[in-house]
């Protein structure tokens, strides 16, 4: 019944198990439930608050599901980091075009729904250490404002980029706008890296540290916007071609297999 309430913070309230009906709180803008370690479910009304801009429920370790559907046209920040049992992301109902940041670090998410295509304002997505994640819909990469993706520690994801590359070839007029990709510790091979570099020509920051590839493909020279390349702890890496002139930072710590010719070339460049 709090018709004018705009802010709720119940962080670390360990007795909360069910967040109740808030359909009358139409002015609610911020809802925070971090560290509610016994929270297991939300009332569906939370997914249909027209003015909600900020929702954070990180470290809710018993939460297995957020909601079935959401229509949150004002949402700008959504975070469920370290909700280690959270395995489902809701379907999107209607366009959500506000600048949106989503953080799902270290959750049990296995895939994202195809309705992600309606998150028109999405610009940042963090899925770091989602070890069960095996699928990213191709539509995700074609969102017009999507520039930052972090999927380090997601070892099952290499194939998603190959599938995306196949769909891209049938739609040559569209190109993804991704600028920052963190894909460390994901068992990437040479072919995975080749597909990634061909698929995202606008990359500025690429972190593929702690992976298994042996060489960097020559197509890296086509990444004319690339400024930072992190290859640290790629223990099998032997060969790197000449890099684009735009590159300002290269991290090669603990790349102990690099050939002498590659090392010499990098120093001279």
């Amino acid at each position: 019944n709090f018709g004018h309430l705009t802010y709720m913070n119940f962080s670390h309230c360990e007795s909360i198990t069910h967040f109740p009906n808030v359909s009358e709180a139409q002015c609610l803008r911020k809802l925070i439930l971090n560290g509610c370690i016994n929270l297991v479910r939300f009332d569906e009304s939370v997914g249909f608050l027209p003015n909600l801009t900020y929702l954070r429920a990180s470290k809710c370790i018993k939460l297995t599901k957020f909601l079935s559907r959401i229509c949150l046209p004002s949402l700008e920040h959504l975070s469920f980091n370290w909700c280690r049992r959270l395995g489902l992301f809701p379907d999107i109902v209607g366009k959500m075009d506000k600048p949106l940041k989503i953080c799902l670090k270290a959750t049990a998410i296995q895939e994202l729904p195809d309705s992600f295509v309606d998150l028109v304002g999405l610009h940042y997505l963090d899925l770091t250490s989602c070890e069960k994640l095996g699928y990213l819909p191709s539509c995700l990469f074609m969102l017009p404002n999507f520039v930052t993706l972090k999927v380090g520690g997601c070892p099952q994801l290499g194939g998603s980029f190959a599938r995306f590359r196949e769909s891209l070839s049938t739609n040559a007029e569209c190109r993804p706008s991704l600028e920052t990709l963190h894909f460390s510790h994901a068992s990437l091979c040479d072919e995975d890296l080749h597909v990634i570099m061909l698929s995202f020509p606008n990359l500025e920051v690429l972190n593929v540290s702690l992976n298994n590839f042996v060489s960097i493909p020559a197509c890296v020279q086509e990444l004319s916007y690339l400024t930072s390349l992190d290859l640290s702890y790629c223990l099998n890496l032997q060969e790197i071609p000449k890099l684009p002139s735009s590159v300002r930072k290269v991290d090669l710590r603990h790349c102990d297999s690099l050939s002498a010719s590659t090392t010499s070339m990098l120093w001279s460049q």
Side-chain angles (χ1 to χ4, degrees), residues 20-139:
N21 189 321
V22 285
S23 57
E24 299 299 319
Q26 294 287 293
C27 293
L28 188 63
R29 292 178 55 82
K30 286 193 175 183
L31 175 59
I32 307 173
L33 293 146
N34 292 332
C36 294
I37 59 174
N38 289 303
L39 178 68
V40 294
R41 68 187 179 100
F42 285 83
D43 187 87
E44 291 290 327
S45 60
V46 175
F48 295 87
L49 293 169
N51 294 298
L52 191 69
T53 63
Y54 187 97
L55 173 56
R56 191 176 180 99
S58 295
K59 297 184 180 178
C60 297
I61 57 176
K62 291 186 178 179
L63 189 67
T64 60
K65 178 183 176 182
F66 172 38
L67 296 168
S68 300
R69 302 181 305 153
I70 59 172
C71 179
L72 298 168
S74 300
L75 192 66
E76 297 181 7
H77 185 103
L78 179 68
S79 178
F80 286 95
N81 287 337
W82 300 291
C83 294
R84 296 191 178 274
R85 297 185 186 181
L86 182 67
L88 295 173
F89 193 88
D91 279 319
I92 313 301
V93 180
K95 299 289 184 184
M96 293 171 54
D97 56 7
K98 295 292 185 183
L100 176 60
K101 179 177 182 178
I102 297 180
C103 301
L104 300 168
K105 187 184 299 184
T107 61
I109 294 286
Q110 297 182 38
E111 63 180 42
L112 300 175
D114 289 333
S115 58
F116 243 61
V117 69
D118 290 321
L119 294 180
V120 179
L122 182 69
H123 66 90
Y124 180 104
L125 177 61
D126 190 347
L127 294 158
T128 303
S129 299
C130 293
E131 296 179 356
K132 296 182 179 181
L133 183 67
Y135 171 73
L136 293 174
S138 297
C139 64

Side-chain angles (χ1 to χ4, degrees), residues 173-191:
E173 294 182 0
C174 297
R175 287 291 182 267
S177 54
L178 198 68
E179 296 175 357
T180 298
L181 176 61
H182 288 198
F183 207 172
S184 62
H185 200 204
S187 302
L188 296 180
C189 66
D190 289 50
E191 179 59 26

Side-chain angles (χ1 to χ4, degrees), residues 10-22:
F10 292 100
S11 294
H12 307 290
C13 293
E14 298 182 2
S15 59
I16 293 179
T17 59
H18 169 216
F19 192 80
N21 189 321
V22 285

Side-chain angles (χ1 to χ4, degrees), residues 8 15 58 82 90 116-117 122 140 147 156 162 174 176 188 192 196 221 244 249 259 263:
M8 291 184 182
S15 59
S58 295
W82 300 291
F116 243 61
V117 69
L122 182 69
L140 169 66
V147 294
Q156 302 181 49
C174 297
L188 296 180
D192 293 326
I196 287 168
Q221 297 173 27
K249 176 182 178 182
S259 67
T263 303

